[in-house]
Amino acid sequence: MKPDMGGAPAWEVIGVIDAEGDCAEWSFPADPGAVRTARQAVRGQLRDWGLGSLADLAALLVSELVTNALRHATGPIGVRLVRPSGRGGVLLVEVSDPLPDPPRERAARLEDESGRGLYLVASSSRRWGTRPGAAGKTVWFELAVPE
């Protein structure tokens, strides 16, 4: 099930890289409700794929990246999950938005109320990075799939 939240899908707008394997993707409007809806979509899809053990972590990291996109970009936000064939043991998660500027990891001070999202992504994932698109960027991360 692919909920379409209106407009052109973000992966068409931004141009994410195609991958072989199981894939689920959604597009959300730049609206605060997108964070909760994206978390629910990720959790549900991972449970459907039998990857419930990754659901909480993946949903947390997606919500951080969607929140970053909401703070800094306007337009659709794309979320995509991929279980690549031939690369067993990996879940690829992508969050795309129309802002071309790459995110910056920073050290948040104790009293800061924000600024920890990319740190969470970096410390919780196997690998992560960004890539530019024709009209924005994609932030991606990999999680190890337990055997």
Side-chain angles (χ1 to χ4, degrees):
M1 183 171 163
K2 294 181 186 179
D4 184 354
M5 308 307 279
W11 52 91
E12 287 179 9
V13 173
I14 296 161
V16 297
I17 295 172
D18 288 332
E20 296 279 331
D22 294 330
C23 181
E25 46 195 11
W26 304 270
S27 181
F28 303 101
D31 174 284
V35 177
R36 179 174 41 88
T37 308
R39 272 195 314 261
Q40 291 171 340
V42 166
R43 279 191 178 110
Q45 185 63 59
L46 291 178
R47 278 193 301 269
D48 290 350
W49 283 347
L51 298 175
S53 63
L54 293 178
D56 287 340
L57 177 58
L60 170 68
L61 299 180
V62 164
S63 69
E64 291 294 332
L65 295 177
V66 170
T67 298
N68 283 352
L70 286 172
R71 284 190 177 161
H72 303 290
T74 59
I77 299 166
V79 175
R80 186 164 90 144
L81 306 176
V82 181
R83 282 195 319 185
S85 57
R87 288 181 62 199
V90 173
L91 174 70
L92 173 64
V93 181
E94 299 175 327
V95 176
S96 303
D97 67 59
L99 186 70
D101 304 327
R104 292 178 300 143
E105 191 176 353
R106 67 179 183 92
R109 297 179 309 232
L110 288 174
E111 64 274 8
D112 289 345
E113 293 186 18
S114 64
R116 293 173 182 82
L118 285 179
Y119 173 78
L120 281 173
V121 171
S123 63
S124 302
S125 62
R126 198 170 107 165
R127 298 185 316 149
W128 79 279
T130 64
R131 72 174 175 274
K137 68 169 169 316
T138 298
V139 180
W140 59 269
F141 62 89
E142 292 180 349
L143 297 177
V145 174
E147 294 186 27

